[in-house]
Amino acid sequence: SVPENQNAFAMGIFGAFARLIGGLLGPVIFGVILDSSCSLWDERCDKRGFCWTYNNNTLSILVFAAVVAFKIGKLLFYLMAWYFYPISKEVDDTNDKLKKKDGKDSSAMFSKPNYFVVRETTM
């Protein structure tokens, strides 16, 4: 948690960090996948160069497995954030007002955390 007057700065730092991690790890991981599916390397002077041909079956399986692994990881982090995110008193009060106003609980399915909170504005 950061002070209210530093929210923009914190979001900028977080965005830069996320881009740095995503910009570095993605190419490295897919480079390893490409290298591991190579079937014919260019070798000169006992040094491995670039890949001449790839095993398409291995490449497709590895890329699919990597994408599925990333999706599962994203789902796990989303579920952890949803579970551990604390519900603020303001959200609970707003939900109680909506329930009393409508006479029904329209937000029961999304009660933790409630993403569909209607905030009252004053002009």
Side-chain angles (χ1 to χ4, degrees), residues 8-115:
F9 180 71
M11 291 299 292
I13 294 294
F14 175 75
F17 183 70
R19 284 180 181 256
L20 180 70
I21 295 295
L24 293 178
L25 289 181
V28 169
I29 290 170
F30 282 100
V32 168
I33 289 172
L34 285 171
D35 287 347
S36 64
S37 64
C38 182
S39 59
L40 180 61
W41 288 98
D42 180 38
E43 294 184 16
R44 294 184 188 167
C45 301
D46 295 331
K47 291 189 178 182
R48 188 167 75 173
F50 60 89
C51 183
W52 282 98
T53 60
Y54 293 96
N55 184 343
N56 287 337
N57 291 331
T58 304
L59 182 61
S60 64
I61 289 170
L62 289 176
V63 168
F64 179 75
V67 169
V68 168
F70 291 140
K71 294 284 185 179
I72 289 172
K74 182 176 79 169
L75 178 66
L76 289 175
F77 280 114
Y78 174 78
L79 290 174
M80 286 178 11
W82 177 77
Y83 182 76
F84 291 113
Y85 184 78
I87 297 176
S88 68
K89 179 80 170 120
E90 179 182 325
V91 171
D92 285 342
D93 291 344
T94 305
N95 287 340
D96 290 341
K97 289 178 187 175
L98 288 173
K99 287 178 200 174
K100 290 177 184 175
K101 181 180 175 183
D102 296 340
K104 60 182 178 180
D105 185 8
S106 60
S107 64
M109 187 164 59
F110 301 103
S111 60
K112 184 181 182 184
N114 191 345
Y115 295 109

